[in-house]
Amino acid sequence: MADVAAIAVPPFTVSALFTEIQLTSWLALTLVVAAGLYLYGVHRLRLRGDRWPVSRTVLFLGPGLGGIAAVTVSGLGAYDTTLLSVHMVQHMVLSMIAPIFLALGAPVTLALRTLPGDPRRRLLAVLHSRFARVVTFPLVAFGLFVINPFVLYFTDLYRLTLESSLAHEFVHAHFIMTGCLFFWPLVGLDPLPGRWPYPARALLMVLSVPFHTVLGLTVMQSSTLFGGDWYPSLGLTWADPWADQEVAGGILWAGGEFVSVTMLAVLVVQWMRQSEREARRIDRELDRQEARQARAVAAAD
């Protein structure tokens, strides 16, 4: 049954996002440490006169780490076991939005450029290990990404996450991890083994759309409440568990399609930029060949 803290949660309002902020979780500390390490790396590069794109820092700290904080540390996190719709917002941000911007921040590249000898060699060894090749292989990451939500919501695991704070926090970390494993090989700028060409990445993104649609519609149309009697047992007069579950399914459905379409756009832009860089490289090589031929003709004359 629900605990007293959950029952005492006030109605979900915009002001509650600020009045219910929680800064004592392990995740809050992890976010602060990650931000500090990233900024320290950027600072070290600047001290030795190297550039680091400001856009990468903004993406990593803003919608990346900031997105995670917005749904866990803010007041939104106080309602993630009270409203299924809030949990689904967390699900979307932690597994489908924040990982994209973390990948675009290229933290592994930053680490490789700032770490000293031994730590850098150990990081390179991890990147080139068999384990890294397996977990970052797009089909493996794709399988984890699309199957895990079904395992979570259609077994007793989801009820366990409502009753156990440890399991609840583990799911947060799991969402972030699976999201990073899926999106890092697709849009990330860091060096990863076995990265697929852009057409294959776009196809994989398209294939993920039906899974979120099916999951969202299933949640909306379910004849049973997720979590069993957990939400009715809270006795909240300001929330209807059935209506909230429909909203939760809609968030998952619409949010999944929106992120997928946005991701396709990002992949197309990256593909076009890569093609432009390759075209410029070929043009430079042709110019060098023509210059060498011109010099050879001049020398022969």
Coordinates of all heavy atoms in Angstrom, one line a residue, residues 155-207:
T155 N 4.8 -6.5 -16.3 CA 5.1 -7.4 -15.3 C 5.0 -6.8 -13.9 O 4.5 -5.6 -13.8 CB 6.6 -7.9 -15.4 OG1 7.5 -6.8 -15.2 CG2 6.9 -8.5 -16.8
D156 N 5.3 -7.5 -12.9 CA 5.2 -7.0 -11.5 C 6.3 -6.0 -11.2 O 6.3 -5.4 -10.1 CB 5.2 -8.1 -10.5 CG 4.0 -9.0 -10.6 OD1 2.9 -8.4 -11.0 OD2 4.0 -10.1 -10.2
L157 N 7.2 -5.8 -12.1 CA 8.4 -4.9 -11.8 C 7.9 -3.5 -11.6 O 8.5 -2.8 -10.7 CB 9.4 -4.9 -13.0 CG 10.2 -6.2 -13.1 CD1 11.1 -6.1 -14.4 CD2 11.1 -6.3 -11.9
Y158 N 6.9 -3.0 -12.3 CA 6.5 -1.6 -12.2 C 5.9 -1.4 -10.8 O 6.2 -0.4 -10.1 CB 5.4 -1.2 -13.2 CG 5.0 0.2 -13.1 CD1 5.9 1.2 -13.3 CD2 3.7 0.5 -12.7 CE1 5.6 2.6 -13.1 CE2 3.3 1.9 -12.6 CZ 4.3 2.9 -12.8 OH 3.9 4.2 -12.6
R159 N 5.1 -2.4 -10.3 CA 4.6 -2.2 -8.9 C 5.7 -2.2 -7.9 O 5.7 -1.5 -6.9 CB 3.6 -3.4 -8.6 CG 3.1 -3.4 -7.2 CD 2.3 -2.1 -6.9 NE 1.8 -2.1 -5.5 CZ 0.5 -2.3 -5.2 NH1 -0.4 -2.5 -6.1 NH2 0.2 -2.3 -3.9
L160 N 6.8 -3.0 -8.1 CA 7.9 -3.0 -7.2 C 8.6 -1.6 -7.2 O 9.0 -1.2 -6.1 CB 8.9 -4.1 -7.7 CG 10.3 -4.1 -6.9 CD1 10.0 -4.5 -5.5 CD2 11.2 -5.1 -7.6
T161 N 8.7 -1.0 -8.3 CA 9.3 0.4 -8.4 C 8.5 1.4 -7.6 O 9.0 2.4 -7.1 CB 9.5 0.9 -9.8 OG1 8.2 1.1 -10.4 CG2 10.3 -0.1 -10.6
L162 N 7.2 1.2 -7.4 CA 6.3 2.1 -6.7 C 6.5 1.8 -5.2 O 6.4 2.8 -4.4 CB 4.9 1.9 -7.1 CG 4.5 2.3 -8.5 CD1 3.1 1.8 -8.8 CD2 4.7 3.7 -8.8
E163 N 6.8 0.6 -4.8 CA 6.8 0.3 -3.4 C 8.3 0.4 -2.8 O 8.4 0.6 -1.6 CB 6.4 -1.2 -3.2 CG 4.9 -1.4 -3.6 CD 4.5 -2.8 -3.5 OE1 5.4 -3.7 -3.6 OE2 3.3 -3.1 -3.3
S164 N 9.3 0.3 -3.7 CA 10.7 0.3 -3.2 C 11.4 1.5 -3.8 O 11.5 1.7 -5.0 CB 11.4 -1.0 -3.7 OG 12.8 -0.9 -3.5
S165 N 11.9 2.3 -2.9 CA 12.6 3.5 -3.4 C 13.9 3.1 -4.1 O 14.3 3.8 -5.0 CB 13.0 4.4 -2.2 OG 13.7 3.7 -1.2
L166 N 14.5 2.0 -3.7 CA 15.8 1.5 -4.3 C 15.5 1.1 -5.8 O 16.2 1.5 -6.7 CB 16.4 0.4 -3.5 CG 17.7 -0.2 -4.1 CD1 18.8 0.9 -4.1 CD2 18.1 -1.4 -3.3
A167 N 14.4 0.3 -5.9 CA 14.0 -0.1 -7.3 C 13.6 1.1 -8.1 O 13.9 1.1 -9.3 CB 12.9 -1.1 -7.2
H168 N 13.0 2.1 -7.5 CA 12.5 3.3 -8.2 C 13.7 4.0 -8.7 O 13.8 4.5 -9.9 CB 11.7 4.1 -7.3 CG 11.1 5.3 -7.9 ND1 10.0 5.1 -8.7 CD2 11.3 6.6 -7.9 CE1 9.6 6.3 -9.2 NE2 10.4 7.2 -8.7
E169 N 14.8 4.2 -7.9 CA 16.0 4.9 -8.4 C 16.7 4.1 -9.4 O 17.3 4.7 -10.3 CB 16.9 5.2 -7.2 CG 16.3 6.2 -6.1 CD 16.0 7.6 -6.7 OE1 16.8 8.0 -7.6 OE2 15.0 8.2 -6.3
F170 N 16.7 2.8 -9.3 CA 17.4 2.0 -10.3 C 16.8 2.1 -11.6 O 17.5 2.2 -12.6 CB 17.3 0.5 -9.8 CG 17.9 -0.4 -10.8 CD1 19.3 -0.6 -11.0 CD2 17.1 -1.1 -11.7 CE1 19.8 -1.5 -11.9 CE2 17.6 -2.0 -12.7 CZ 18.9 -2.2 -12.8
V171 N 15.4 2.2 -11.7 CA 14.7 2.4 -13.0 C 15.1 3.7 -13.6 O 15.3 3.8 -14.8 CB 13.2 2.3 -12.8 CG1 12.5 2.8 -14.0 CG2 12.8 0.9 -12.5
H172 N 15.3 4.8 -12.8 CA 15.7 6.1 -13.3 C 17.1 5.9 -14.0 O 17.3 6.4 -15.1 CB 15.8 7.1 -12.2 CG 14.5 7.6 -11.7 ND1 14.4 8.4 -10.6 CD2 13.3 7.5 -12.2 CE1 13.1 8.7 -10.4 NE2 12.4 8.1 -11.4
A173 N 18.0 5.3 -13.3 CA 19.3 5.1 -13.9 C 19.3 4.2 -15.1 O 20.0 4.4 -16.1 CB 20.3 4.4 -12.8
H174 N 18.4 3.2 -15.1 CA 18.2 2.3 -16.2 C 17.7 3.0 -17.4 O 18.2 2.8 -18.6 CB 17.3 1.1 -15.8 CG 17.2 0.1 -16.9 ND1 18.2 -0.8 -17.2 CD2 16.2 -0.3 -17.7 CE1 17.8 -1.6 -18.1 NE2 16.6 -1.3 -18.4
F175 N 16.7 3.9 -17.3 CA 16.2 4.7 -18.4 C 17.3 5.5 -19.0 O 17.5 5.5 -20.2 CB 15.1 5.6 -17.9 CG 13.8 5.0 -17.7 CD1 12.9 5.6 -16.8 CD2 13.4 3.9 -18.4 CE1 11.6 5.0 -16.6 CE2 12.2 3.3 -18.2 CZ 11.2 3.9 -17.4
I176 N 18.1 6.1 -18.2 CA 19.2 7.0 -18.7 C 20.2 6.1 -19.5 O 20.7 6.4 -20.6 CB 19.9 7.7 -17.6 CG1 18.9 8.7 -16.9 CG2 21.1 8.5 -18.1 CD1 19.5 9.3 -15.6
M177 N 20.6 4.9 -18.9 CA 21.6 4.1 -19.5 C 21.1 3.5 -20.8 O 21.9 3.6 -21.8 CB 21.9 2.9 -18.5 CG 23.0 2.0 -19.1 SD 23.2 0.5 -18.1 CE 21.6 -0.3 -18.4
T178 N 19.9 3.0 -20.9 CA 19.4 2.4 -22.2 C 19.3 3.5 -23.2 O 19.5 3.3 -24.4 CB 18.1 1.7 -21.9 OG1 17.2 2.5 -21.3 CG2 18.3 0.4 -21.1
G179 N 18.8 4.7 -22.8 CA 18.7 5.8 -23.7 C 20.0 6.2 -24.3 O 20.2 6.4 -25.5
C180 N 21.1 6.2 -23.5 CA 22.4 6.6 -24.0 C 23.0 5.5 -24.9 O 23.6 5.8 -25.9 CB 23.4 6.8 -22.8 SG 23.1 8.3 -21.8
L181 N 22.8 4.3 -24.5 CA 23.2 3.2 -25.4 C 22.6 3.2 -26.8 O 23.2 2.9 -27.8 CB 23.0 1.8 -24.7 CG 23.8 1.4 -23.5 CD1 23.4 0.1 -23.0 CD2 25.3 1.4 -23.9
F182 N 21.3 3.6 -26.8 CA 20.6 3.7 -28.1 C 21.0 4.9 -28.9 O 21.3 4.8 -30.1 CB 19.1 3.7 -27.9 CG 18.3 3.7 -29.1 CD1 18.4 2.7 -30.1 CD2 17.5 4.8 -29.4 CE1 17.6 2.7 -31.2 CE2 16.7 4.8 -30.6 CZ 16.8 3.8 -31.5
F183 N 21.0 6.1 -28.3 CA 21.2 7.3 -29.1 C 22.7 7.7 -29.3 O 23.0 8.4 -30.3 CB 20.5 8.5 -28.3 CG 19.0 8.4 -28.5 CD1 18.2 8.1 -27.4 CD2 18.4 8.7 -29.7 CE1 16.8 8.0 -27.5 CE2 17.0 8.6 -29.8 CZ 16.2 8.3 -28.7
W184 N 23.6 7.2 -28.4 CA 25.0 7.6 -28.6 C 25.5 7.1 -30.0 O 26.2 7.9 -30.7 CB 25.8 7.0 -27.5 CG 26.8 8.0 -26.9 CD1 28.0 8.5 -27.4 CD2 26.7 8.7 -25.6 NE1 28.6 9.4 -26.6 CE2 27.8 9.6 -25.5 CE3 25.7 8.8 -24.6 CZ2 28.0 10.4 -24.4 CZ3 25.9 9.6 -23.5 CH2 27.0 10.4 -23.4
P185 N 25.3 5.9 -30.4 CA 25.8 5.4 -31.7 C 25.1 6.1 -32.8 O 25.6 6.1 -34.0 CB 25.5 3.9 -31.7 CG 25.4 3.5 -30.3 CD 24.7 4.7 -29.6
L186 N 23.9 6.6 -32.6 CA 23.1 7.2 -33.7 C 23.5 8.7 -34.0 O 23.7 9.1 -35.1 CB 21.6 7.2 -33.4 CG 21.0 5.8 -33.3 CD1 19.5 5.9 -33.0 CD2 21.2 5.0 -34.5
V187 N 23.6 9.5 -32.9 CA 23.9 10.9 -33.1 C 25.1 11.4 -32.4 O 25.5 12.6 -32.6 CB 22.6 11.8 -32.7 CG1 21.4 11.5 -33.5 CG2 22.3 11.6 -31.2
G188 N 25.7 10.6 -31.5 CA 26.8 11.0 -30.7 C 28.0 11.4 -31.6 O 28.2 10.9 -32.7
L189 N 28.8 12.3 -31.0 CA 30.1 12.7 -31.7 C 31.3 12.0 -31.2 O 32.4 12.2 -31.7 CB 30.2 14.2 -31.5 CG 29.0 15.1 -31.9 CD1 29.2 16.5 -31.6 CD2 28.7 14.9 -33.4
D190 N 31.1 11.2 -30.2 CA 32.3 10.5 -29.6 C 32.7 9.3 -30.4 O 31.9 8.7 -31.2 CB 31.9 10.0 -28.2 CG 31.8 11.1 -27.2 OD1 32.6 12.1 -27.2 OD2 30.8 11.1 -26.3
P191 N 34.0 8.9 -30.3 CA 34.4 7.7 -31.1 C 33.9 6.4 -30.5 O 34.1 6.2 -29.3 CB 36.0 7.8 -30.9 CG 36.2 8.5 -29.6 CD 35.1 9.6 -29.6
L192 N 33.1 5.7 -31.3 CA 32.6 4.4 -30.8 C 32.9 3.4 -31.9 O 32.9 3.6 -33.1 CB 31.1 4.6 -30.6 CG 30.6 5.4 -29.5 CD1 29.0 5.6 -29.5 CD2 31.0 4.9 -28.1
P193 N 33.1 2.1 -31.4 CA 33.4 1.0 -32.4 C 32.1 0.7 -33.2 O 31.0 0.7 -32.7 CB 33.8 -0.1 -31.5 CG 33.1 0.2 -30.1 CD 33.1 1.7 -30.0
G194 N 32.3 0.3 -34.5 CA 31.3 -0.2 -35.3 C 30.1 0.7 -35.6 O 29.0 0.3 -35.6
R195 N 30.4 2.0 -35.7 CA 29.3 3.0 -36.0 C 28.7 2.8 -37.4 O 29.5 2.6 -38.3 CB 29.8 4.4 -35.8 CG 28.7 5.4 -35.7 CD 29.2 6.8 -35.7 NE 30.0 7.1 -34.5 CZ 29.5 7.5 -33.4 NH1 28.2 7.7 -33.3 NH2 30.3 7.8 -32.4
W196 N 27.4 2.7 -37.5 CA 26.7 2.5 -38.7 C 26.7 3.8 -39.6 O 26.8 4.9 -39.1 CB 25.3 2.0 -38.5 CG 25.2 0.6 -38.1 CD1 26.2 -0.3 -37.8 CD2 24.0 -0.1 -38.0 NE1 25.7 -1.5 -37.5 CE2 24.3 -1.4 -37.6 CE3 22.6 0.2 -38.2 CZ2 23.4 -2.4 -37.4 CZ3 21.6 -0.8 -38.0 CH2 22.0 -2.1 -37.6
P197 N 26.6 3.6 -40.9 CA 26.4 4.8 -41.8 C 25.0 5.4 -41.6 O 24.1 4.8 -41.0 CB 26.5 4.2 -43.2 CG 26.1 2.7 -43.1 CD 26.6 2.3 -41.7
Y198 N 24.9 6.7 -42.0 CA 23.7 7.4 -41.7 C 22.4 6.8 -42.2 O 21.4 6.8 -41.5 CB 23.8 8.9 -42.2 CG 24.6 9.7 -41.2 CD1 26.0 10.0 -41.5 CD2 24.1 10.2 -40.1 CE1 26.7 10.8 -40.7 CE2 24.9 10.9 -39.2 CZ 26.2 11.2 -39.5 OH 26.9 12.0 -38.6
P199 N 22.3 6.2 -43.4 CA 21.1 5.6 -43.8 C 20.6 4.5 -42.9 O 19.4 4.4 -42.6 CB 21.4 5.1 -45.2 CG 22.5 5.9 -45.7 CD 23.3 6.2 -44.5
A200 N 21.5 3.7 -42.4 CA 21.2 2.6 -41.5 C 20.7 3.1 -40.2 O 19.8 2.6 -39.6 CB 22.4 1.7 -41.3
R201 N 21.3 4.2 -39.7 CA 20.9 4.8 -38.5 C 19.4 5.4 -38.6 O 18.6 5.2 -37.7 CB 21.8 6.0 -38.1 CG 23.3 5.6 -37.9 CD 24.0 6.8 -37.3 NE 25.4 6.7 -37.8 CZ 26.3 7.7 -37.5 NH1 26.0 8.7 -36.8 NH2 27.5 7.6 -37.9
A202 N 19.2 6.0 -39.7 CA 17.8 6.6 -39.9 C 16.8 5.5 -40.0 O 15.7 5.6 -39.4 CB 17.8 7.4 -41.2
L203 N 17.1 4.4 -40.6 CA 16.2 3.2 -40.7 C 15.9 2.7 -39.3 O 14.8 2.3 -39.0 CB 16.8 2.1 -41.6 CG 16.0 0.8 -41.7 CD1 14.6 1.1 -42.3 CD2 16.8 -0.2 -42.5
L204 N 16.9 2.6 -38.5 CA 16.8 2.1 -37.1 C 15.8 3.0 -36.3 O 15.0 2.5 -35.6 CB 18.1 2.0 -36.4 CG 18.2 1.1 -35.2 CD1 17.9 -0.4 -35.6 CD2 19.5 1.1 -34.6
M205 N 16.0 4.3 -36.6 CA 15.1 5.3 -35.9 C 13.7 5.1 -36.3 O 12.7 5.2 -35.5 CB 15.6 6.7 -36.1 CG 15.1 7.7 -35.2 SD 15.8 7.5 -33.5 CE 14.3 7.2 -32.6
V206 N 13.4 4.9 -37.6 CA 12.1 4.7 -38.1 C 11.5 3.4 -37.5 O 10.3 3.4 -37.2 CB 12.1 4.6 -39.7 CG1 10.8 4.1 -40.2 CG2 12.5 5.9 -40.3
L207 N 12.3 2.4 -37.4 CA 11.8 1.1 -36.9 C 11.4 1.2 -35.4 O 10.6 0.4 -34.9 CB 12.8 0.0 -37.0 CG 13.2 -0.4 -38.4 CD1 14.3 -1.5 -38.4 CD2 11.9 -1.0 -39.1

